[in-house]
DNA sequence: TATTGACCTATTGTCGGACAATAAGTCAAT
DNA sequence: ATTGACTTATTGTCCGACAATAGGTCAATA
């Protein structure tokens, strides 16, 4: 038996990780501000005392998280990660966990009514205008499946944006990315529920304009329950994993 | 004025992106299964017809999302992204958006009561045992601020895991990562609310064992409202951005 | 004046080769 | 069954090179 001495596992990080962390910290701590250009690769290589290849690997590591983007396709720039950028990572993760419609719906049930409620007090005039425009659009494309799907997704997205809550936006990113496109897509093709969708959206919109959080929340709940029924009636099993569709 | 002909912006992707996408698709489509080793860098370079450097950059791109990890610190292996891996990306994003306590609390209000409710029907014996053990631990470390904080965070984490809903786990990752550590940390140091925390946790646990979703949800809501009051009473403003603490 | 063109420069994307460090495997010795 | 010595495969890092191109400057042109 070994003595009961325990050494900590020593943490030998490869250089590209170390560099990546340092850059990440510099960005998060505000040392390099959003919108600023990152030094050129050659500069960085010199500063950190490593080769350009190493720097490049470090940069790639950050690029995926959306912290770094490119201004004009050449120089790298520090960016606020947009929800869709981060959403892709999350979606990949969920797909690999074989997330089911049921699971996503449960999250939607937690977040979407909340978004409706919050939007009542936070929505600006512009937010409301965008929502109104979306309603008009929805009515127009009622019979075009693809366009209707896009409009439906946009409505929920606009609503979430109207909360001006970035945490909420990020938390519901997978809904935009995975859930609605696939699930609503199926439902719309199978049941043509355009009218029902529009009615729900209109009530939610009205509630927001009336500054009536309870009503907004309530209608969104109804809308989501309706949605669930749609899935159940369609051929797609509610407890099935969401299929991979690139 | 230019003629109203519009060409699509041509999408010239650098090779490392293309390669990264191809590997990503191969993984998501199940062509390479979870747990399998990725071919060696030299192999990949040959297969794709690019240099090893390019392959490496492509790999780094995926590594950040947690799709790739390493089995034994050498060969790369395909992994299911764990919540903490993805959580770090999301947290970075939120920090850069200067997310406030208020925003995170709102999300918590949407997700945590939901988790409590769901856990009632999904928690296994083992889940309950873990929760019970956590309660014992909490009682023991009641006066040790750091340990209490850790136990409190663990309780919520265990609860979320008991739902066996990966979408929910991922959505609430930033709470674990950002919100609780910082906010609870402050509250615990300032108010020593150990007793109140324990009582709430015990009620939630009891509700789960009784299979009483409404009660579980209700107590979690109370718990979160309590939490909010704690923040408001402490010196940290509720509408302040969460500080960057690496 | 505003667009075009020619030119130069800085920076990224990609290549190829090189070598050290180190997991992993093999086989013999204890 | 563990240790040790040896070999091999693979990653981490370095160096140097070059093509492609975005950006800037400045003159020529309509």
């Amino acid at each position: 038996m070994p003595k009961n001495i325990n050494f900590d596992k020593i943490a030998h990080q490869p250089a590209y990780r170390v560099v990546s962390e340092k850059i990440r910290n510099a960005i998060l701590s505000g040392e390099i501000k959003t919108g600023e250009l990152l030094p050129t690769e050659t500069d960085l290589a010199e500063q950190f005392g490593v080769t350009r290849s190493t720097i490049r690997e470090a940069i790639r590591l950050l690029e995926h998280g959306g912290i770094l983007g490119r201004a004009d396709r050449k120089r790298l720039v520090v960016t606020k990660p947009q929800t869709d950028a981060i959403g892709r990572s999350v979606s990949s993760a969920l797909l690999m966990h074989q997330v089911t419609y049921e699971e996503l719906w449960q999250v939607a049930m937690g977040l979407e009514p909340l978004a409706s409620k919050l939007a009542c007090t936070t929505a600006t005039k512009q937010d409301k205008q965008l929502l109104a425009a979306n309603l008009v659009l929805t009515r127009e494309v009622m019979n075009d499946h693809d366009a209707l799907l896009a409009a439906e997704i946009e409505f929920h997205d606009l609503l979430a944006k109207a909360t001006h809550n970035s945490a909420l936006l990020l938390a519901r990113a997978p809904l935009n990315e995975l859930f609605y496109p696939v699930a609503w897509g199926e439902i719309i093709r199978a049941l043509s529920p355009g009218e029902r969708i529009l009615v729900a959206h209109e009530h939610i919109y009205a509630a927001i304009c009336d500054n009536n959080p309870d009503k907004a929340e309530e209608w969104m709940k109804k809308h989501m329950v309706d949605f669930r029924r749609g899935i159940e009636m369609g051929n797609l099993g509610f407890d099935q994993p969401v299929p991979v569709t690139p």
Side-chain angles (χ1 to χ4, degrees), chain A:
Chain A
M1 282 294 268
K3 305 250 181 74
N4 53 359
I5 312 174
N6 272 322
F7 291 108
D8 290 343
K9 198 174 290 181
I10 86 151
H12 171 57
Q13 295 279 53
Y16 62 84
R17 270 179 205 270
V18 179
V19 172
S20 159
E21 273 307 301
K22 295 228 177 198
I23 296 179
R24 178 171 181 269
N25 287 337
I27 292 177
L28 286 184
S29 73
E31 201 174 322
I32 316 177
K33 285 166 212 150
T34 303
E36 267 184 51
L37 290 174
L38 213 62
T40 67
E41 297 176 354
T42 332
D43 277 356
L44 288 172
E46 230 174 290
Q47 293 184 34
F48 283 107
V50 295
T51 327
R52 198 156 73 93
S53 320
T54 307
I55 293 290
R56 284 177 68 84
E57 295 191 32
I59 289 176
R60 296 301 155 258
L61 225 35
L62 298 176
E63 200 177 335
H64 193 257
I67 302 188
L68 293 178
R70 38 204 69 230
D72 42 29
R73 177 124 110 268
K74 206 126 200 172
R75 294 291 298 277
L76 278 172
V77 66
V78 179
T79 53
K80 290 193 188 188
Q82 296 307 309
T83 48
D84 53 347
I86 201 75
R88 280 183 47 111
S89 301
V90 181
S91 297
S92 300
L94 287 176
L95 284 175
M96 295 201 58
H97 281 277
Q98 304 204 298
V99 70
T100 64
Y101 292 107
E102 168 94 48
E103 291 174 297
L104 285 169
W105 182 81
Q106 288 173 346
V107 171
M109 248 335 239
L111 294 178
E112 298 289 49
L114 175 66
S116 291
K117 187 170 62 176
L118 293 177
C120 288
T121 59
T122 56
T124 64
K125 275 181 200 161
Q126 204 198 351
D127 292 328
K128 290 174 192 170
Q129 280 173 11
L130 289 171
L131 283 169
N134 173 274
L135 289 182
V136 173
L137 177 65
T138 306
R139 207 169 292 126
E140 279 172 6
V141 299
M142 189 74 82
N143 295 314
D144 178 344
H145 288 172
D146 288 342
L148 179 59
L149 173 59
E152 146 71 21
I153 294 178
E154 192 195 41
F155 180 83
H156 290 262
D157 197 44
L158 288 174
L159 193 62
K161 285 192 177 124
T163 66
H164 301 281
N165 179 328
S166 48
L168 180 57
L169 278 179
L170 240 59
R172 67 176 292 289
L175 302 181
N176 262 344
E177 190 96 14
L178 280 187
F179 191 43
Y180 293 144
V182 183
W184 268 124
E186 290 289 340
I187 295 175
I188 289 177
R189 263 188 296 283
L191 305 177
S192 295
E195 196 55 47
R196 291 186 70 84
I197 290 177
L198 184 57
V199 170
H201 287 194
E202 275 171 343
H203 274 101
I204 294 168
Y205 173 70
I208 289 174
C209 291
D210 293 353
N211 199 357
N212 187 338
D214 292 335
K215 188 182 156 199
E217 187 178 14
E218 216 42 54
W219 267 99
M220 181 58 93
K221 276 189 189 165
K222 279 189 201 173
H223 187 36
M224 297 308 297
V225 170
D226 232 37
F227 183 28
R228 173 171 190 142
R229 276 229 307 283
I231 299 184
E232 286 172 337
M233 288 174 62
N235 45 3
L236 39 125
F238 204 61
D239 52 354
Q240 292 300 306
V242 176
V244 179
T245 52

